[in-house]
Amino acid sequence: MAMLPLAQLYARDVPDLRPPTGADLLQVLWCPFDHPPMSFMPRTVVFWRSEAAVTDILTTPPEPPVVQFDGYLPEPCLLAPEQITEYPNPLELSKDVRAQLGDWSMWQAAGGAVDSRYASYPEEFYSADLSVAPGWKVGGWAPWGYTDPRPQSCPACDSAMVPLLTIPTFEWDDSTRSWIPDDRGDREHTSPSSVRTRPEGQAVIDFFRAQGIEAHDRGRVPRDARVAPLGTDTVPRQPTAVQIASGQRQQLYICPTSPEHPHTELMQ
Ligand SMILES: [Zn+2]
Ligand SMILES: [Zn+2]
């Protein structure tokens, strides 16, 4: 069965891609069928390549004769890479920290641009605006919820793996409007990434730092690079038309010590 091209990312557009030595280009392909009993998702293949060595460029990607679901045939999109900072999923935080996130006075003291409509549900501000951005992205934190947090270890060397690429069904929605990409549709896809300033305020950053939690933590990329697809679709939530199960996300993990070790993937 022919593999379908899914994503092509250049290190020059996504500085945190961290390719292995000699490579500057990530190509992800997938087999557009579920793979039961282990996986009810397409199976991905990851290629690290050197742009200079890629000479066999096809102008039209091969169309597969058949895909299992329409949602496994991605709509071609340009990418608008944008660097963002996101905090962990609340499920990865201790009970103590979660309790403090529910304390409105902490957010007020932080002096950030926290919308007062969150006063009754301060933890919603964290979930919606600070933790785990929606959409396609490189690196970042895992969007747990479909399962409980589950550390991923490298099948070859047992190192703790880190998220490489998140393939979501949906981009932002009404509850996550602060994550709408900057300058949507208004940017050269090759322009340098902009850096998003989050609304949390320095006191909140310090609060997380005191808990040992940072976007820089645990060997993850210093900033998480979202690769927002610029679709022509009138439905901005699904520019790629990709659908994983009933609206889940497929997340690829990579070995940080040896990127050439086999990657793993899970549904979230
Ligand atoms: Zn297959
Ligand atoms: Zn490894």
Side-chain angles (χ1 to χ4, degrees):
M1 174 57 62
M3 304 291 276
L4 274 181
L6 182 71
Q8 172 163 280
L9 303 172
Y10 292 91
R12 63 165 187 270
D13 292 333
V14 185
D16 302 315
L17 198 57
R18 296 194 177 171
T21 314
D24 55 10
L25 170 62
L26 170 69
Q27 292 177 326
V28 183
L29 288 77
W30 72 8
C31 169
F33 286 84
D34 288 342
H35 294 77
M38 290 304 287
S39 160
F40 288 87
M41 304 181 293
R43 180 166 293 161
T44 54
V45 186
V46 164
F47 294 104
W48 294 105
R49 308 184 72 178
S50 153
E51 188 184 355
V54 177
T55 50
D56 53 333
I57 295 165
L58 298 176
T59 46
T60 338
E63 287 271 342
V66 60
V67 296
Q68 186 171 1
F69 300 111
D70 289 347
Y72 291 172
L73 181 61
E75 198 62 46
C77 287
L78 288 182
L79 299 178
E82 173 186 50
Q83 286 186 291
I84 57 168
T85 300
E86 65 176 16
Y87 287 91
N89 185 296
L91 293 171
E92 293 202 52
L93 302 175
S94 71
K95 230 174 129 191
D96 274 3
V97 173
R98 286 207 302 264
Q100 292 185 67
L101 296 180
D103 179 355
W104 181 239
S105 60
M106 183 196 88
W107 295 109
Q108 284 178 304
V114 183
D115 192 326
S116 60
R117 77 198 151 95
Y118 287 111
S120 308
Y121 310 99
E123 58 281 1
E124 287 298 308
F125 171 69
Y126 180 81
S127 302
D129 285 6
L130 297 184
S131 82
V132 192
W136 286 69
K137 68 190 167 192
V138 168
W141 294 89
W144 306 112
Y146 184 76
T147 69
D148 282 338
R150 213 167 48 186
Q152 305 293 305
S153 27
C154 174
C157 73
D158 218 32
S159 298
M161 297 180 97
V162 294
L164 170 66
L165 178 68
T166 301
I167 301 159
T169 300
F170 299 114
E171 298 289 317
W172 56 274
D173 64 18
D174 258 353
S175 68
T176 53
R177 296 188 66 85
S178 75
W179 291 114
I180 296 175
D182 282 344
D183 312 328
R184 208 186 132 68
D186 196 22
R187 202 163 19 152
E188 288 281 317
H189 74 289
T190 49
S191 71
S193 304
S194 60
V195 175
R196 175 71 72 95
T197 309
R198 303 297 310 147
E200 69 270 34
Q202 189 60 42
V204 172
I205 296 171
D206 292 344
F207 165 77
F208 281 104
R209 208 163 272 166
Q211 317 295 326
I213 299 163
E214 300 198 50
H216 299 240
D217 197 17
R218 295 166 57 176
R220 284 182 170 78
V221 293
R223 281 182 182 272
D224 317 313
R226 178 166 49 180
V227 284
L230 294 177
T232 50
D233 204 308
T234 48
V235 186
R237 291 194 67 204
Q238 281 186 283
T240 62
V242 163
Q243 177 166 349
I244 303 298
S246 55
Q248 270 74 37
R249 312 162 191 87
Q250 181 165 349
Q251 198 171 36
L252 277 57
Y253 280 77
I254 193 165
C255 174
T257 43
S258 306
E260 66 280 7
H261 284 172
H263 75 290
T264 62
E265 45 199 352
L266 85 163
M267 192 187 290
Q268 277 305 316

